[in-house]
């Protein structure tokens, strides 16, 4: 990683905090659960989409050199309409 990072992991979520932005790689859990990725701006609380490819390892680059959190979460399956 280009800067210090921390990660919290649960069954369906990964939250990665990059203190000074930068780039980092993440080994994604294997299995049938597809993931979505969002950047969280801790200054505003805003979420924006982060590009994620279907690969075992994904590399992310923060939007700038400030602190950012990357939230990788299991995609929600769409419920069928009645």
């Amino acid at each position: 990683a280009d800067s210090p990072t921390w990660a919290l992991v649960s069954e369906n979520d990964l939250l990665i905090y990059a203190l000074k932005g930068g780039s980092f790689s993440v080994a994604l859990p294997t299995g049938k659960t597809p993931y979505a990725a969002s950047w969280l701006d801790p200054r505003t609380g805003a979420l924006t989409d982060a590009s994620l490819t279907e690969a075992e390892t994904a590399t992310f680059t923060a939007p700038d050199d400030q602190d950012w959190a990357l939230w990788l979460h299991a995609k929600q399956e769409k419920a069928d309409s009645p």
Side-chain angles (χ1 to χ4, degrees):
D2 291 347
S3 68
T5 55
W6 293 274
L8 296 172
V9 180
S10 72
E11 184 176 345
N12 292 318
D13 297 279
L14 292 89
L15 183 64
I16 301 159
Y17 178 73
L19 182 63
K20 296 182 181 177
S23 297
F24 52 87
S25 295
V26 178
L28 299 173
T30 57
K32 45 191 170 174
T33 303
Y35 282 84
S38 302
W39 285 109
L40 169 65
D41 183 339
R43 291 163 297 287
T44 65
L47 282 174
T48 55
D49 287 336
S51 173
L52 178 63
T53 60
E54 297 294 326
E56 289 181 17
T57 302
T59 300
F60 297 93
T61 300
D64 59 36
D65 62 357
Q66 297 188 58
D67 61 326
W68 285 89
L70 179 72
W71 178 35
L72 292 164
H73 49 97
K75 285 185 181 179
Q76 298 293 322
E77 292 188 26
K78 294 181 180 178
D80 291 332
S81 300

